[in-house]
Amino acid sequence: MNDPAATGAAGGIALAPLFAGLFLLLAAAAWTGLSLARAIAEDVRRVTHLVEAHARRERPAALAPTRPRLAELQRLVEAVNALLARNAQADVSHFVAVESLLERGRQKVHFLAHMSHDLKAPLNSVLGFADVLLGGVDG
């Protein structure tokens, strides 16, 4: 049952599909890497063209649309996340400003209510003394 001659032939046949699958997997990974490298090189050429045209103060011709690549999608997601963060910050700032204005309004009303009461009492006393003096009442 453990005869090396019998298992050697059967083991070699069993390993052949494994090696073939491994070879195909490595070939696919190499092909994907090459495609990705070409796509990156094309992206670099496109950006270089745009930067050079901008440096010459020219308006570059419209580039043909390409299918979105992973890096472009990541930049788009980052831009959207940054926009959402700025929006959230603006909402918080707006809320804080509104609350600050409302608090100032409450403080103003409180100040005027207390000041009017604090001013009414002395003014009423002055008016009362003025009436006494005008009436000629002494002592």
Side-chain angles (χ1 to χ4, degrees):
M1 182 152 200
N2 288 341
D3 183 19
T7 57
I13 293 173
L15 291 178
L18 180 65
F19 284 131
L22 185 61
F23 176 75
L24 288 176
L25 183 64
L26 289 174
W31 180 261
T32 304
L34 262 163
S35 298
L36 184 60
R38 286 185 186 133
I40 290 171
E42 182 183 334
D43 286 344
V44 168
R45 280 193 298 274
R46 288 175 60 210
V47 169
T48 303
H49 172 73
L50 289 172
V51 169
E52 287 172 350
H54 188 275
R56 292 188 303 263
R57 297 189 184 272
E58 295 175 359
R59 184 171 229 174
L63 296 175
T66 60
R67 69 168 200 233
R69 292 187 178 78
L70 182 61
E72 292 171 335
L73 291 175
Q74 286 174 342
R75 285 193 305 267
L76 179 62
V77 167
E78 289 169 1
V80 168
N81 286 339
L83 180 63
L84 291 174
R86 280 198 315 255
N87 238 1
Q89 183 61 35
D91 286 346
V92 168
S93 298
H94 180 11
F95 178 77
V96 167
V98 168
E99 284 298 315
S100 174
L101 287 174
L102 290 174
E103 180 60 26
R104 286 181 190 168
R106 286 189 291 269
Q107 289 173 352
K108 176 184 157 192
V109 167
H110 184 263
F111 174 77
L112 289 176
H114 283 82
M115 283 305 294
S116 64
H117 173 48
D118 290 343
L119 287 176
K120 277 183 190 176
L123 288 177
N124 284 334
S125 297
V126 169
L127 289 175
F129 282 125
D131 284 339
V132 168
L133 291 176
L134 286 177
V137 177
D138 290 333

